[in-house]
Amino acid sequence: MRRVVRQSKFRHVFGQAVKNDQCYDDIRVSRVTWDSAFCAVNPKFVAIIIEASGGGAFLVLPLHKTGRIDKSYPTVCGHTGPVLDIDWCPHNDQVIASGSEDCTVMVWQIPENGLVTSMSEPVVVLEGHSKRVGIITWHPTARNVLLSAGCDNQIIIWNVGTGEAMISLEDMHPDVIYNVCWNRSGSLICTACKDKSIRVIDPRKETIVAEKEKAHEGARPMRAIFLADGNVLTTGFSRMSERQLALWNIQNMEEPMTVNEMDTSNGVLLPFYDPDTNVVYLCGKGDSSIRYFEITDEAPYVHFLNTFVTKEPQRGMGYMPKRGLDVNKCEIARFYKLHERKCEPIVMTVPRKSDLFQDDLYPNTAGPDPAVEAEEWFEGKNGDPILISLKDGYVPGKNREFKVVKKNILDNKVTKNTENSCPANKPASPTPSIKSEAKLEEILKEVKSLKDLVSSQEKRIIKLEEQMSKIAI
């Protein structure tokens, strides 16, 4: 007997928006015309690109800071042009990178408990693009390796630890790059370009491994992402402006493995992929729905699961990494949907009767530890993600302090010598001192801002008293 209904544990996944008091309200989400997600999330913070006069800025909020966000809440505001894309480092939950219209990439270290005062000094500025930088994505398994792509049709891969551009892919794309995605081990990248081509590139050999021209016939922007098995999933438009989802085998890109036609709409479909469950979520910009599909090994490969529909259209979308989910509630994905003036978390859940840990829903997932160092990766070493179990609910470890090492700086050598001359019985002393210094600096800043506030209020009180005395006379 042929089964009428395909068996799948994700058939009944349902989405639910959280209550109003758990949203982030009164946020002026950026209006810049660029097809990025405008939001980045990790287990500690949610970052949102916002409207800013005279430059570019984004908010960084601790996840628990829900409710109305004050207009005077501190921002990250070092860019001189609008911020176009942001991405949290997968190996350090306090480090975020941003790309901007000012042609620079900046890397920021957020204090452990969130911002106290606005931050305008990045840890490092990466300069190398000649036009605006619209795409930022960290390497999934190598520490401190960051990829940026600009409207100069150039991809640069940086060693953020030294602040150097290590690889520059200049002549591969004749037109604007729509998106770039690493594969699971970070050995290849796939790109979607305005010339309607999908390319799979080996960035260290600087060669194109596979290419498909006219992957989607339509003129509107495409997206391409790698799946866990090495296939490539693309979203784009047909000649009749119907939105499409296609699956490609990079060994043979003549024909797609499958093509799904969805609807006629002009919003770009942003794909979010969960490699553990093989579920792809498609969020259209300007849509008010999230469609989700399961990818399997047998034809037709892409199986439609369901659509989560809301009333409000989405301006952008953040996607929580697996280690930030609530495993006790069988949560398999959490999105942070941007409205015009707020950010609303949406929880995707598999209904289960049991309260026990559901190990079939939560296989071991990529943890926060890098598999290789930046230098090793640039020399040719690959590493699969280091997996962690979510059985006891993911407990975040202590983040290492993020340091940028500029080469040939004398101060550096001096500090190294002093470290070497330290007595052998105190090997752990340098690291806590750096941390405590940073903490102290943070506290001093806070005290200074409070002092300023007190003095300004004192002046105001004196002024008001003078006015009152005049009225009394």
Side-chain angles (χ1 to χ4, degrees), residues 75-79 106-110 115 117-125 445:
T75 59
V76 179
C77 53
H79 285 287
M106 293 184 180
V107 180
W108 311 84
Q109 173 126 15
I110 306 299
L115 295 175
T117 55
S118 285
M119 188 181 268
S120 57
E121 286 299 312
V123 184
V124 62
V125 181
K445 266 187 189 171

Side-chain angles (χ1 to χ4, degrees), residues 409-419:
I409 292 181
L410 292 170
D411 300 353
N412 233 17
K413 288 177 182 167
V414 172
T415 53
K416 275 183 186 167
N417 292 346
T418 52
E419 276 179 30

Side-chain angles (χ1 to χ4, degrees), residues 207-384:
T207 56
I208 295 175
V209 178
E211 184 173 357
K212 173 62 183 169
E213 292 175 11
K214 291 202 173 168
H216 294 276
E217 297 274 343
R220 305 245 337 114
M222 301 190 298
R223 286 283 183 280
I225 57 166
F226 263 114
L227 303 182
D229 58 6
N231 290 337
V232 169
L233 184 102
T234 61
T235 64
F237 293 79
S238 70
R239 198 177 283 146
M240 308 299 293
S241 285
E242 281 182 300
R243 293 200 286 194
Q244 295 177 320
L245 174 69
L247 190 63
W248 307 83
N249 180 346
I250 63 170
Q251 310 303 326
N252 175 21
M253 291 188 81
E254 284 301 305
E255 287 296 318
M257 292 161 69
T258 179
V259 177
N260 275 33
E261 302 218 330
M262 279 171 283
D263 60 356
T264 308
S265 175
N266 59 3
V268 178
L269 285 169
L270 305 177
F272 296 95
Y273 172 62
D274 177 5
D276 304 330
T277 57
N278 256 325
V279 176
V280 164
Y281 303 87
L282 300 184
C283 308
K285 269 213 147 175
D287 284 12
S288 50
S289 62
I290 300 173
R291 291 179 178 80
Y292 37 105
F293 298 80
E294 188 179 356
I295 316 285
T296 59
D297 298 334
E298 71 268 5
Y301 307 111
V302 176
H303 307 273
F304 174 73
L305 290 173
N306 210 335
T307 305
F308 169 75
V309 185
T310 55
K311 290 180 186 140
E312 296 283 321
Q314 55 230 15
R315 295 280 294 275
M317 196 67 84
Y319 180 61
M320 175 67 82
K322 212 54 179 293
R323 55 197 177 89
L325 301 179
D326 186 345
V327 294
N328 306 319
K329 291 182 181 162
C330 294
E331 191 181 343
I332 60 159
R334 193 188 311 151
F335 291 93
Y336 286 73
K337 174 181 168 177
L338 299 185
H339 298 241
E340 209 162 313
R341 299 284 301 188
K342 74 169 182 179
C343 172
E344 174 186 45
I346 292 166
V347 175
M348 297 283 181
T349 312
V350 176
R352 289 279 165 100
K353 289 191 172 78
S354 167
D355 292 338
L356 300 174
F357 177 72
Q358 307 292 316
D359 44 15
D360 62 326
L361 297 183
Y362 301 106
N364 288 354
T365 189
D369 293 326
V372 291
E373 295 296 323
E375 291 74 16
E376 297 173 324
W377 185 79
F378 286 113
E379 283 162 12
K381 187 178 175 186
N382 289 326
D384 284 326

Side-chain angles (χ1 to χ4, degrees), residues 427-438:
S429 67
T431 46
S433 68
I434 292 168
K435 282 212 164 166
S436 54
E437 267 177 40

Side-chain angles (χ1 to χ4, degrees), residues 15 21 28-29 46 119 122 147 185-186 192 199 214 275 309 315 340 346 374 438:
D21 60 343
R28 291 177 305 143
V29 176
V46 53
M119 188 181 268
L147 179 148
S185 65
R199 294 174 178 82
K214 291 202 173 168
V309 185
R315 295 280 294 275
E340 209 162 313
I346 292 166

Side-chain angles (χ1 to χ4, degrees), residues 1-18:
M1 273 288 287
R2 193 171 148 272
R3 244 190 257 119
V4 181
V5 179
R6 188 182 66 89
Q7 266 198 324
S8 165
K9 52 189 168 229
F10 304 112
R11 253 184 52 220
H12 302 292
V13 170
F14 69 96
Q16 206 169 16
V18 301

